[in-house]
Amino acid sequence: MSAASRRFRHHDPGTASEAFTDLVLEVFRVNGRLLAAGDRLAAPAGLTSARWQVLGAVEAGPLTVAGIARAMGLARQSVQRIADLLAAEGVIAFHDNPAHRRAKLVAPTRRGREVLAAVNRLQAVWAHHVSEAMTAGELEAAATILRHIRARLEADAAEGAAGNDEDS
């Protein structure tokens, strides 16, 4: 058992909270590996994982910076910084937003769509390689569990934000 595992572990072996802690630690490890793999996949297109994530968020349609941040679980300020860099490189463009005068919509440019398509082709090959030892059912079950955890965390955060609003 690693020092980090011991540090975060409660003294209730065999319980759901211990299993959850083990899952959280594994998600942290996987996140690091995914970011490194994403950087390798996106590098030929001149992107990083973070830039790919922001560009990918607007693939289906324009969003505000705040909308991207919410959708991806990122800080608005970091998304703004990345969006500004992508705009300077001609990969995305800011457009007027009919729903909000100051919050511009972010959309990929033609070049951005081409860059994203190139990275997505590499990602498809990589995803096939990584997933070939697992079944679709196993991966769907894992995704379902992570969605449940995310929903609980989002509800807790909203409840905490509401509680903070009431205190001010």
Side-chain angles (χ1 to χ4, degrees):
M1 181 184 320
S2 73
S5 295
R6 283 189 300 276
R7 200 171 27 249
F8 288 107
R9 198 171 293 291
H10 296 282
H11 298 289
D12 49 1
T15 64
S17 65
E18 182 177 8
F20 177 73
T21 299
D22 288 344
L23 177 63
V24 167
L25 292 171
E26 195 59 34
V27 166
F28 288 162
R29 292 180 198 110
V30 169
N31 182 58
R33 299 288 188 208
L34 287 173
L35 291 173
D39 284 343
R40 285 191 305 276
L41 286 169
L47 297 176
T48 62
S49 287
R51 290 177 183 204
W52 179 19
Q53 194 173 19
V54 170
L55 181 57
V58 295
E59 181 176 24
L63 292 170
T64 63
V65 166
I68 295 168
R70 275 191 301 278
M72 304 308 288
L74 301 170
R76 190 201 58 76
Q77 295 85 349
S78 65
V79 172
Q80 184 67 62
R81 182 183 57 78
I82 293 167
D84 289 342
L85 292 169
L86 290 170
E89 295 168 3
V91 177
I92 62 152
F94 293 103
H95 301 283
D96 287 338
N97 181 354
H100 195 283
R101 199 175 78 225
R102 289 182 42 212
K104 300 285 186 189
L105 291 170
V106 177
T109 61
R110 186 170 144 214
R111 179 169 177 256
R113 286 188 294 280
E114 291 167 356
V115 165
L116 193 54
V119 177
N120 287 345
R121 282 190 297 275
L122 294 172
Q123 188 276 338
V125 172
W126 173 79
H128 178 76
H129 168 73
V130 172
S131 66
E132 65 189 358
M134 296 164 262
T135 68
E138 289 170 328
L139 294 166
E140 289 164 0
T144 297
I145 289 168
L146 291 174
R147 277 192 288 277
H148 286 305
I149 292 169
R150 178 175 45 86
R152 176 65 184 258
L153 295 171
E154 288 172 350
D156 287 352
E159 190 176 289
N164 290 340
D165 290 344
E166 293 171 1
D167 294 340
S168 48

